[in-house]
Amino acid sequence: MSVDVQDPPLVLGSGHGGMAARRAVVRWAWRLFRREWRQQLLVLALLLVAVAATTAGLGVAANTLGTQSSSFGTADHLVTVSSTGAQLDADVAALRSAFGTAEVIEHQNIPVPGSANPVDLRAQDPHGPYGRSMLRLNAGRYPQGPDEIAVTDGVAKIFSLHLGGTWDQGGRHRTVVGLVENPLKLLDRFALVAPGRASPPDHVIVLIRATQTEFAGKTLPDGVSVEIRGEEPDTASVGVLMLATIGLLFVGLLAVAGFTVMAQRRLRALGMLGAIGASHRHIRLVLVANGAVIGAVGALAGAAAGLAGWFAFSPRLESLVGHRIDRFQLPWLAVLVAVLLAIVTAVCAAWWPARAAARVPVVSALSARPVPPRPARRFAALGGVLLLGGLGSLVAAQQTKPLFIIGGVVATALGLLLLAPVGIAGLGRLARLAPLAPRLALRDLARYRARSSAALAAIALAVGIAAAVALGAAVSVAKAAAPTGGNLPADQLIVWLSENALNGPVPSLTPAQADNARLRVDAIAADLHATSVLPLQAAVDPNAPQVGGSGGREPMQLGKPHPITVDGRQGFRYSSADAVPLFVATSELLGHYGIDPTSIDAGTDIVTSRADLDSYDLFPGRYRDWRPRLQHAPLPTYTSLPGTLLTTHAVQSLHLTPIPAGWLVRAPRPLTQAQIDRAQRTALAAGLSVETRPTGADLARLADNVTGTGIAVALGVLAMTVGLIRSETARDLRTLTAAGARRGTRRALTAATAGALALLGAVIGTAGAYLALLAWYHREPHWLGHVPVLDLAAILVGLPVVAYAGGWLLAGKEAPTLARQPLD
């Protein structure tokens, strides 16, 4: 008897083929990329631009923020000693004994004719243990002898000095032997002498490096002030990555449209692959691997282009940010994350078309029939849930909670994007009401819903961002024009002696400096035809240490104590965010407000219109146990106007010293931007600063620029999308041409496609921006009544009109003959 073993029947598509099959599919995907990279050039270019912009942006963000190293060097504690003579030597010796290694830097103030800010004469060792990073020699050498000095470029320009010249200052002749700078603060104006040659110093800085526990366990000399180096979180890089994520979301939406078109164009080849035994997983792998290759090539090329741009731009950035930049000081982890995000974006964009193509039956794929559109209600349900959740998160954020704000913005944007298929389906239903050419165009959009929805979502995202900026700017402009609230009335400005108003040290002026500052203020008042110029005075503790190189002291303020614990010790800290500036209640100021000085009780310490000052303390200083006696009066509620006054009784009882802080100038009418610019230039020449109510002009210009950019981006998306649609429907266009359709019909098809997508994207984006801002301003929705008519008209009317006109003008080319069919 013979036995014949029959082979089992071959079932196509039932197995997975193992690693060999996956390698073959990946190789085919790589060949597909090499053959058709020109058709995928759009996605490659978008990924390259996104990653390049992110890489360069990360470099700018990581090197733009100011650094505490400009005053601390490599130390973490800065001790200011204001004693003099033998007591100063004893205090410095005590600090050296307590901490071992300590760097002493002496400071002496040199008055500048015509300026309220003196030049800092600094006695510092260029090779000190902590401060060497704060000095850089640009020319010559460091000073060594008693009559040698090095200066910065700013000081050399002020006093007309040059290398090898002589500086006659205060009857003392010094030879300029070097040009120096603080590489961590290029705007730092100072003159450098050898250690111990700034005698007598106005104050002395001692740099110390110690842990919090070590520092807390030491006894410090009396009368010193201590600054502790704080943490400097890299929030700017996080912000750049967030913007990059939004940009990559936009790129991903366009990539979905591109991969969908590619999948439809290669549908027959994918069907043949399934016919010879490839599983659904293999077919998905073809497109996903192709997406991974495109993402990797685009991301790596973008990173290289971004690094090249960063290296080219960084020298220019140094002058903009005011400190030297290390070209290789980049957040490399964030750059890697940006590259990985780009690759993941391309893979995710390819996955959805790959999933749809893998589900197409083999016979339908071989016939290249379009995939029937899926019901839009599923996307609408998920989009509605995300939209409601995002708006609720924005409401719960109360404009103060970052996590709720980020989550709300992302969820709102995703919700609106998922509603795009519903809009495309609605266009298909409206097609029956349109003439022939627009009817065909709208039905074609609905038939290829996956591709059209992705493009519509990208347009809505670009338009929504532009509309949100325009609406937000309109709200800011309206708030600036409001008669109440804000920092100052629209017809007033304050000329401050300090750069940071009353949030920084107030310099002590010599009589000549005070006269020059008042001359500048009078010039500003004359230009504004001012009706009044009111001197403002702050109060300082004469025993408090001087701050920085300005020779100034911190003004007294009211602050809310926040309990903290450091190394097991209970303490308090004060934040400038909730500080209340104090002005001395001079007779001129009281008369300006119409208050009779005799109406203030003799024992009153503070005159105010606020009712929440019971929990506030007087700082800086040692006055935590002082409980002031308050008297309420009808004072203005503007944040920068004198609304909380320190009486003469309080100044005398606390042994404080009134000093000039600024001048309040009142004009007969609201200030224009040109008047503000002239006032700022005049004040800057004397080292003064000007504070005014924001006019909103800059925000309005920003809104116009962003609106124009959003419209340009939307038009670019439309051009890409319409090009993809027309290339995919080339056979239908040939059929129409053979049936006698004229050039006008072909033009109307393209124009209707572009105009419909533009109009629907503008409506969805603007509606989303309004919903998001309504949730943001839910407590004061009346501000949204100030509509930026021109910007919204450009979006809702201009964008569709330009899209329709562009589609009409650029279309109408004669189609190839029917005999010239493209090969798959």
Side-chain angles (χ1 to χ4, degrees), residues 12 82 215 230 296 298 397 456 519 564 607 632 637 690 708 737 741:
L12 297 178
S82 299
F215 194 86
L456 177 62
L519 288 175
I564 59 173
V607 180
H632 293 278
T637 57
V690 172
T737 303

Side-chain angles (χ1 to χ4, degrees), residues 38 41 46 60 101 106 215 302 462 485 543 576 672 674 688 690 743:
R38 292 177 181 84
L41 189 61
L46 289 174
V60 173
T101 303
E106 299 175 344
F215 194 86
N543 298 319
S576 60
T672 64
L688 307 174
V690 172
R743 177 175 296 184

Side-chain angles (χ1 to χ4, degrees), residues 45-58 298-299 301-310 338:
L46 289 174
L47 288 172
L48 187 149
V49 171
V51 177
T54 303
T55 303
L58 287 171
L307 289 175
W310 161 247

Side-chain angles (χ1 to χ4, degrees), residues 21-387:
R22 285 191 286 271
R23 283 199 302 268
V25 170
V26 170
R27 284 197 300 269
W28 188 63
W30 171 249
R31 295 191 186 100
L32 186 65
F33 168 76
R34 292 175 57 188
R35 179 180 177 183
E36 295 192 347
W37 67 271
R38 292 177 181 84
Q39 287 77 11
Q40 300 163 3
L41 189 61
L42 170 62
V43 178
L44 279 170
L46 289 174
L47 288 172
L48 187 149
V49 171
V51 177
T54 303
T55 303
L58 287 171
V60 173
N63 292 277
T64 297
L65 296 179
T67 173
Q68 297 184 50
S69 301
S70 61
S71 55
F72 282 83
T74 57
D76 45 34
H77 290 79
L78 188 152
V79 180
T80 302
V81 184
S82 299
S83 54
T84 58
Q87 185 61 46
L88 172 62
D89 296 336
D91 292 342
V92 172
L95 290 172
R96 291 184 184 274
S97 176
F99 296 98
T101 303
E103 182 170 354
V104 179
I105 304 175
E106 299 175 344
H107 295 268
Q108 186 183 84
N109 299 321
I110 298 178
V112 178
S115 176
N117 296 315
V119 167
D120 181 25
L121 181 65
R122 187 176 304 174
Q124 179 180 356
D125 183 3
H127 308 291
Y130 305 130
R132 67 181 67 180
S133 61
M134 299 188 296
L135 286 178
R136 176 178 174 179
L137 184 65
N138 293 332
R141 59 178 177 84
Y142 288 116
Q144 298 175 354
D147 296 325
E148 295 181 344
I149 194 170
V151 297
T152 62
D153 289 336
V155 174
K157 291 178 181 178
I158 292 174
F159 294 99
S160 301
L161 302 176
H162 59 85
L163 194 63
T166 301
W167 186 10
D168 184 6
Q169 189 276 320
R172 184 169 184 176
H173 301 279
R174 289 189 176 98
T175 302
V176 180
V177 298
L179 296 178
V180 295
E181 69 178 15
N182 182 350
L184 304 177
K185 188 178 180 181
L186 296 180
L187 296 179
D188 193 3
R189 299 185 312 178
F190 66 94
L192 181 70
V193 294
R197 301 300 180 180
S199 180
D202 291 299
H203 67 281
V204 173
I205 296 295
V206 181
L207 300 179
I208 297 170
R209 192 167 185 173
T211 64
Q212 291 290 338
T213 303
E214 293 173 346
F215 194 86
K218 303 295 183 179
T219 301
L220 300 180
D222 294 333
V224 302
S225 65
V226 179
E227 296 181 49
I228 302 175
R229 184 172 189 159
E231 297 291 334
E232 300 180 65
D234 190 12
T235 55
S237 297
V238 175
V240 172
L241 282 179
M242 288 179 58
L243 293 177
T245 303
I246 296 175
L248 288 174
L249 174 62
F250 175 79
V251 173
L253 293 171
L254 293 180
V256 168
F259 285 125
T260 302
V261 172
M262 190 191 74
Q264 180 64 33
R265 187 165 53 237
R266 285 293 163 189
L267 198 56
R268 285 184 176 176
L270 296 175
M272 184 64 68
L273 190 64
I276 63 175
S279 65
H280 292 175
R281 184 180 301 176
H282 292 141
I283 295 176
R284 285 198 304 269
L285 183 60
V286 171
L287 296 177
V288 171
N290 185 259
V293 171
I294 293 175
V297 172
L300 294 177
L307 289 175
W310 161 247
F311 288 137
F313 176 69
S314 52
R316 170 62 177 163
L317 184 64
E318 289 182 343
S319 60
L320 297 177
V321 300
H323 60 80
R324 298 297 177 191
I325 291 175
D326 182 1
R327 308 296 186 269
F328 294 94
Q329 186 179 350
L330 288 170
W332 294 106
L333 180 59
V335 173
L336 178 61
V337 169
V339 172
L340 293 178
L341 279 176
I343 297 175
V344 170
T345 298
V347 171
C348 292
W351 180 83
W352 187 260
R355 180 174 178 269
R359 293 186 173 187
V360 178
V362 173
V363 175
S364 298
L366 291 175
S367 62
R369 296 174 184 171
V371 181
R374 301 185 64 185
R377 58 180 179 272
R378 299 179 182 177
F379 297 99
L382 179 59
V385 171
L386 287 174
L387 179 60

